[in-house]
Amino acid sequence: MRLDKFLKVSRLIKRRTLAKEVADQGRITINDKVGKASSVVKVGDELAIRFGQKVVTARIEMLKDAVKKEESTMMYTILKEERLEKVDPEFIDDED
């Protein structure tokens, strides 16, 4: 299944066009490799999705072309959620 379709069907991202944009910006990795919207995902793959200052890591548990809203969370398991720290520009050393 394509990455953008999985994200929409699983409701990790609500719209397929938004999933495509996020993937094309390089904000999604599949098993530690940058994924494109057209990348093929399979059961067992780990996705890391960057939402602003947060990274959500999920494992794909099942693939289906369509599921009810209540069943969509069964398609993946959230492994971890972590906040990214903002870098204060005052502390960046430009004299390298």
Side-chain angles (χ1 to χ4, degrees):
M1 177 180 284
R2 285 174 54 112
L3 174 61
D4 57 348
K5 183 169 183 180
F6 173 79
L7 293 170
K8 181 209 178 281
V9 173
S10 67
R11 293 173 175 79
L12 280 167
I13 296 179
K14 292 189 180 198
R15 293 187 322 271
R16 191 166 178 177
T17 54
L18 183 59
K20 181 181 182 329
E21 288 174 17
V22 171
D24 290 346
Q25 292 170 359
R27 294 170 37 194
I28 301 175
T29 60
I30 305 166
N31 299 324
D32 296 323
K33 294 183 183 134
V34 177
K36 296 184 202 172
S38 62
S39 298
V40 176
V41 295
K42 57 190 181 306
V43 173
D45 284 350
E46 285 190 18
L47 306 177
I49 308 165
R50 186 166 45 90
F51 295 104
Q53 295 298 318
K54 183 169 77 168
V55 175
V56 175
T57 305
R59 182 178 50 241
I60 298 175
E61 301 295 346
M62 85 168 95
L63 299 174
K64 286 191 172 186
D65 287 333
V67 294
K68 294 179 180 174
K69 185 177 182 180
E70 303 80 40
E71 299 171 352
S72 64
T73 56
M74 295 170 46
M75 294 183 69
Y76 61 89
T77 301
I78 299 292
L79 301 175
K80 63 182 172 180
E81 290 185 39
E82 49 193 352
R83 289 197 69 69
L84 297 175
E85 297 212 13
K86 288 187 176 183
V87 177
D88 190 339
E90 292 182 31
F91 295 106
I92 296 176
D93 186 9
D94 291 333
E95 298 178 19
D96 285 331

